[in-house]
Amino acid sequence: MLTSICGINWGDEGKGRMVDLLSADYDIVCRYQGGNNAGHTVINEKGKFILNLLPSGILRGNVVNVLGLGMVIDIKHLNEEIGRLREGGIAITPENLKISDRAAITMPYHILLDCLEEDRLAGKKFGSTRRGIAPAYADRYMKKSFRMGELLHSETLWEKIKDVAEWKNLTVAGGYHHEPVTAEEIMEYFKTYGEPLKEFICDTGAYLNEAHREGKKILFEAQLGALRDVDYGILPYTSSSSTIASFAPIGAGVPNLRLDKSIGIMKAYSTCVGEGPFTAEYFGEKADRLRKAGGEYGAATGRPRRVGPFDVVASRYGIRCQGADEIALTKLDILSVYDEIEICTAYELDGKILHEFPYPDVLPACKPVFEKVKGWGCDISQCRKVSDLPKEALDYIRLLEKLCGCKITYVSVGAERDEYIKME
Ligand code: GDP
């Protein structure tokens, strides 16, 4: 059984907490794309954990966690993340963590290049998280990456390091006029941060195929949402990897297997980190109110998120991209602050009403069409069954189902593990 959990919107939909909840039914949780550029926040009985690289299943003792080949892994960051979790009493061993030998390594010079380019762009910047993700993916396609497996095969490593350092300096020193990187510092980096990870590195494709044959249940966990996908997202304000559910088997290392189910995580309102068009955006006091109610500050960067009401146009597109069979709606409790709730039901472009998500270049010219529905205006965080919900909250859920054309199977009403409702 292969299930994917993916984001319908701009990311930060609360995928981490849904994976944490659903992973109880799965044997394996697997990341298949991205790096440490986004963060999941998971709160459970052991505490509050921010996970940038490790799958959320790491917080459950009996779940095996896989970092798939589609990822770019900052090994320094991974060591720190493992260290923080261990301090919090979470056991991390080769039994519950497996890292693909084919995953690429995010290097310090990738982070440097990301920062140099973002600084060069200045006012025209894309809003990179400056964690080296785009340069790391660029090198993958240039076939100049270091892969995790190379840490196990050090015979040829030194020669490759020298070649890569020479090539990188054409850009670092030659292009950006920055101090050159040295082969020695790269080697030192591998020694310091690669050594402790060696025990986790393996052929995760072989592992996952075997596990699948044995009937194990596998959950794929995406980072970011459909609108940040490198191809289907709002270019160029996207991530550098595929955030799409159908990429999961490829990025995990099992291109021979098919997904059985795609669960889309969709937020009850809209949030967006970084630059780029965000049609339903609220500004001023309206934005402050929603941002404050939802605690909308980036988990990885602490940046205040841009906020707005639920966007039907973008969400329907996200659901299509993700091939979502069902939806988990998150953070419905945040809307309790409203007596009347706005929904962006369409975009207006040059006097025409759009219901389909347009080509990204025309997005800046689109204006949101807001409609109002009745709010419930009371705390719903204690609701655990559909019958506990106020009528207006249930109406809101049913309306989103209708507008988006996808059934909602879970609704979360708080950040803690048990603060959710399974819809009937
Ligand atoms: P992710 O990257 O998609 O996992 O999302 P983030 O971790 O960036 O953002 C989700 C945030 O909302 C975290 O702080 C969660 O603890 C919190 N959260 C998730 N679901 C709910 C919910 O239903 N209600 C409330 N109030 N908070 C939630």
Side-chain angles (χ1 to χ4, degrees):
M1 164 91 168
L2 277 74
T3 304
S4 121
I5 293 203
C6 50
I8 296 299
N9 311 117
W10 293 261
D12 311 313
E13 296 92 349
K15 289 180 296 300
R17 64 103 62 211
M18 282 327 281
V19 177
D20 178 60
L21 172 71
L22 297 173
S23 58
D25 296 332
Y26 288 81
D27 303 297
I28 300 167
V29 181
C30 185
R31 281 269 316 261
Y32 61 90
Q33 47 80 223
N36 55 321
N37 46 326
H40 286 313
T41 314
V42 180
I43 301 173
N44 64 20
E45 67 283 352
K46 291 194 179 126
K48 179 174 178 175
F49 300 96
I50 293 179
L51 303 172
N52 299 128
L53 281 164
L54 293 167
S56 318
I58 201 79
L59 302 172
R60 290 197 184 264
N62 51 351
V63 172
V64 179
N65 297 271
V66 174
L67 301 185
L69 66 86
M71 293 183 70
V72 290
I73 300 177
D74 178 329
I75 53 177
K76 178 169 186 276
H77 193 100
L78 183 56
N79 275 286
E80 289 163 359
E81 205 168 308
I82 290 173
R84 270 199 306 275
L85 287 174
R86 282 179 171 157
E87 274 166 30
I90 311 289
I92 300 180
T93 69
E95 295 308 308
N96 73 344
L97 176 64
K98 300 189 186 294
I99 304 174
S100 170
D101 51 5
R102 287 173 179 261
I105 301 175
T106 307
M107 301 294 294
Y109 53 74
H110 291 137
I111 300 168
L112 174 67
L113 283 168
D114 202 358
C115 295
L116 289 170
E117 177 58 9
E118 203 62 4
D119 290 344
R120 188 191 71 83
L121 285 168
K124 290 190 274 179
K125 67 185 190 298
F126 293 150
S128 164
T129 52
R130 295 173 179 252
R131 297 200 168 184
I133 308 298
Y137 273 106
D139 278 8
R140 267 181 95 110
Y141 288 94
M142 294 289 278
K143 295 160 289 181
K144 301 277 195 188
S145 283
F146 290 101
R147 304 270 176 165
M148 293 301 294
E150 283 174 277
L151 298 174
L152 303 179
H153 303 282
S154 48
E155 315 81 45
T156 52
L157 194 56
W158 178 240
E159 284 310 308
K160 178 167 170 184
I161 289 175
K162 283 194 290 185
D163 289 346
V164 170
E166 188 182 306
W167 174 70
K168 266 296 137 198
N169 283 327
L170 297 177
T171 336
V172 172
Y176 289 101
H177 308 295
H178 191 273
E179 209 178 302
V181 299
T182 68
E184 287 74 18
E185 71 194 26
I186 296 175
M187 194 59 174
E188 198 50 39
Y189 182 75
F190 286 146
K191 279 209 188 109
T192 312
Y193 301 109
E195 268 318 302
L197 299 176
K198 274 182 172 178
E199 57 175 337
F200 304 112
I201 302 169
C202 62
D203 178 350
T204 54
Y207 166 75
L208 288 172
N209 261 301
E210 183 57 30
H212 180 65
R213 259 194 303 279
E214 287 169 5
K216 298 244 165 78
K217 292 168 84 179
I218 305 172
L219 189 63
F220 298 111
E221 171 183 5
Q223 183 203 44
L224 295 166
L227 300 167
R228 296 293 188 215
D229 179 79
V230 66
D231 292 310
Y232 293 92
I234 303 172
L235 288 161
Y237 306 98
T238 65
S239 192
S240 306
S241 61
S242 178
T243 63
I244 299 295
S246 55
F247 182 73
I250 296 175
V254 285
N256 53 314
L257 302 181
R258 303 279 170 278
L259 282 182
D260 295 295
K261 188 157 71 171
S262 165
I263 304 177
I265 312 298
M266 187 168 90
K267 210 162 177 167
Y269 55 95
S270 304
T271 59
C272 159
V273 174
E275 316 295 317
F278 180 42
T279 310
E281 184 163 14
Y282 276 168
F283 297 96
E285 276 173 27
K286 243 174 144 178
D288 290 343
R289 186 177 181 202
L290 183 51
R291 185 179 302 113
K292 199 156 157 253
E296 296 298 347
Y297 302 89
T301 57
R303 286 189 282 188
R305 292 175 182 152
R306 298 158 72 189
V307 297
F310 184 80
D311 181 332
V312 177
V313 183
S315 299
R316 271 164 38 116
Y317 175 72
I319 288 171
R320 167 151 67 87
C321 288
Q322 299 293 19
D325 299 301
E326 53 185 84
I327 293 291
L329 186 71
T330 57
K331 298 191 97 162
L332 187 67
D333 55 306
I334 302 306
L335 299 182
S336 300
V337 296
Y338 295 113
D339 292 324
E340 253 186 345
I341 302 172
E342 279 187 322
I343 300 179
C344 172
T345 52
Y347 297 168
E348 191 194 316
L349 178 67
D350 301 331
K352 284 202 205 78
I353 297 296
L354 304 184
H355 291 284
E356 289 297 320
F357 194 70
Y359 185 70
D361 288 21
V362 305
L363 279 172
C366 289
K367 306 245 170 344
V369 176
F370 291 139
E371 289 183 37
K372 283 189 176 141
V373 295
K374 215 160 171 281
W376 46 96
C378 63
D379 181 18
I380 57 166
S381 63
Q382 304 306 316
C383 298
R384 295 292 175 269
K385 312 191 289 293
V386 175
S387 56
D388 294 341
L389 284 169
K391 179 183 176 302
E392 294 80 6
L394 188 57
D395 287 349
Y396 184 78
I397 296 167
R398 297 296 181 219
L399 179 66
L400 296 196
E401 275 185 328
K402 192 166 143 232
L403 293 171
C404 295
C406 195
K407 71 173 188 290
I408 293 173
T409 48
Y410 291 92
V411 174
S412 73
V413 291
E416 309 252 345
R417 195 176 262 172
D418 66 336
E419 292 177 328
Y420 73 95
I421 297 164
K422 188 152 181 7
M423 300 300 291
E424 288 132 22

